[in-house]
Amino acid sequence: MIRGQRDNHYNSILSSLSRYYELPDEESGSTAGVMRLKSKSITSVGNRDFIYVREGLCALISDIQHEAQHSESYKSDDVLKLHYRLQGSSGVALGIGDIIESVQPMACGMLLQPAGTQKTEHFAANSKELSITLFCSPGLLEELTADGEVLLPQPIIDMVKRHAFDYFSMGFPMPPDILSASRRLFDIGGAGTLHAIQMQAGCLDLLWKMLRQVAVLTGSGPRSKPRKHDLERVVAVCDLLDKDLSSSPTIPALAKSVGWNETQLTQTFRDVMGMTVYEYRHRAAMDFAISLLTESEVPITQIAYEVGYQYPSNFSTAFKKEFGVTPAAARKRISLDACSN
């Protein structure tokens, strides 16, 4: 799709970004919803990928090396920004004032500011930035919170209801489930339609995890905050699952490995990650399978074994259920996308 076919939310944010980043020409537009932006400044090396996720939701995936100290200033729109910083730090100022807060690595947060006000972000020299920003429109937030399952802080509710609102921000260290979902977006390889689908799904997953976490932190969520030791155990379980996808460790084996009670493991893992241990392992296996299909010529039968399937036919069935196409069809599509580019 070309730019004119997107919604106003998308076009407004893209217009702001064009002050500092070169956009693809109107003819080529974006590749299946993912637009790669190049910095206009020689002080910033790398890419920012701008993604149309769905109506009212866009994402900016940044992998930038800031060679010299510099700043970027943007005027706010009616939008809630959710930010996830994996690496690098920066300072944020409103208007032409001094820095009022810092953005630290391994942290995430949300920012709301009145429309038309200016935000400036200051980057230090020789700093590497890995970050994700989601831009959510009031209409999308209203839709997502309509059933009452997620309750937002009052300033955001005011924005959704089109009431007057003031500057609002909150930040916190990344919980394991958000960290895992953020890392996954940087691990998705390839290009074209299948790549875009994975990126869009990952952004939606990250949005939902963030809204749930904010509900917990503001006291409106359905669960209590896990203890630090329990979070560390959840991270350890994720590492064990990610380390060897060709095996399928049982819950008793995982519990023994991290010194945990089986019931506590399953309940706390679901609370923190928003999914069961099996669901997490399945998603990790499908993500790894996609990367192998995209970035290698490993036979599909071998890929099935490497992600824990004894029978390739079972792998094909699970893959098609996850992505809507068979592994063979996905590889063919990836090949066609590569040729067209």
Side-chain angles (χ1 to χ4, degrees), residues 157-190:
I157 294 175
D158 290 339
M159 180 194 75
V160 171
K161 295 183 178 297
R162 277 70 171 181
H163 297 160
F165 60 88
D166 201 353
Y167 174 86
F168 170 79
S169 72
M170 67 177 295
F172 47 89
M174 274 195 191
D177 59 334
I178 292 180
L179 175 58
S180 176
S182 299
R183 284 176 172 167
R184 191 176 296 119
L185 281 170
F186 286 98
D187 291 338
I188 296 173

Side-chain angles (χ1 to χ4, degrees), residues 15-311:
S15 177
S16 294
L17 290 169
S18 67
R19 179 179 179 184
Y20 296 99
Y21 296 91
E22 296 179 359
L23 311 182
D25 60 62
E26 193 72 30
E27 293 294 324
S28 59
S30 58
T31 303
V34 180
M35 181 181 293
R36 175 145 292 184
L37 312 181
K38 296 286 188 180
S39 176
K40 292 179 179 179
S41 171
I42 60 173
T43 65
S44 297
V45 180
N47 300 299
R48 295 194 193 272
D49 287 341
F50 189 60
I51 302 169
Y52 179 83
V53 182
R54 53 151 289 172
E55 185 176 355
L57 180 63
C58 305
L60 191 65
I61 315 293
S62 302
D63 184 349
I64 297 285
Q65 176 70 33
H66 301 286
E67 303 286 0
Q69 180 178 328
H70 71 109
S71 303
E72 294 180 8
S73 297
Y74 300 96
K75 282 194 175 180
S76 176
D77 205 343
D78 286 329
V79 61
L80 174 67
K81 299 173 186 175
L82 306 180
H83 190 72
Y84 313 79
R85 183 67 62 89
L86 282 80
Q87 188 174 338
S89 61
S90 60
V92 175
L94 291 184
I96 57 174
D98 296 329
I99 292 175
I100 60 171
E101 61 183 56
S102 63
V103 181
Q104 296 298 319
M106 302 303 291
C108 51
M110 55 171 51
L111 172 65
L112 183 66
Q113 60 187 106
T117 59
Q118 183 169 284
K119 184 200 80 169
T120 301
E121 188 163 7
H122 302 276
F123 300 96
N126 301 315
S127 62
K128 171 78 169 179
E129 177 193 352
L130 286 181
S131 70
I132 302 164
T133 303
L134 300 182
F135 304 87
C136 308
S137 71
L140 174 64
L141 291 170
E142 184 175 28
E143 178 183 338
L144 292 175
T145 59
D147 57 8
E149 186 174 349
V150 172
L151 300 178
L152 297 172
Q154 189 59 47
I156 301 174
I157 294 175
D158 290 339
M159 180 194 75
V160 171
K161 295 183 178 297
R162 277 70 171 181
H163 297 160
F165 60 88
D166 201 353
Y167 174 86
F168 170 79
S169 72
M170 67 177 295
F172 47 89
M174 274 195 191
D177 59 334
I178 292 180
L179 175 58
S180 176
S182 299
R183 284 176 172 167
R184 191 176 296 119
L185 281 170
F186 286 98
D187 291 338
I188 296 173
T193 304
L194 198 58
H195 171 261
I197 290 172
Q198 291 180 86
M199 296 295 283
Q200 290 161 345
C203 290
L204 286 169
D205 182 46
L206 198 54
L207 169 64
W208 181 240
K209 284 178 168 57
M210 185 70 155
L211 292 180
R212 284 182 46 162
Q213 182 66 21
V214 168
V216 171
L217 293 175
T218 55
S220 56
R223 55 188 173 88
S224 60
K225 186 177 180 180
R227 297 174 298 176
K228 179 182 177 182
H229 190 49
D230 288 342
L231 291 175
E232 292 172 347
R233 283 170 163 167
V234 169
V235 171
V237 170
C238 292
D239 287 343
L240 287 170
L241 294 171
D242 292 337
K243 192 173 182 179
D244 184 10
L245 292 171
S246 64
S247 65
S248 300
T250 62
I251 295 296
L254 288 170
K256 184 177 180 180
S257 296
V258 298
W260 215 356
N261 174 282
E262 294 173 31
T263 301
Q264 288 179 318
L265 186 155
T266 54
Q267 291 179 347
T268 307
F269 191 96
R270 181 192 285 270
D271 285 344
V272 172
M273 301 301 291
M275 65 184 80
T276 65
V277 172
Y278 169 80
E279 289 168 339
Y280 177 90
R281 190 203 165 280
H282 171 74
R283 182 170 295 181
M286 291 296 105
D287 288 345
F288 186 47
I290 279 288
S291 68
L292 289 175
L293 285 168
T294 303
E295 301 168 9
S296 76
E297 296 181 1
V298 176
I300 291 174
T301 298
Q302 183 62 32
I303 292 176
Y305 296 145
E306 291 196 24
V307 297
Y309 285 86
Q310 185 176 358
Y311 301 103

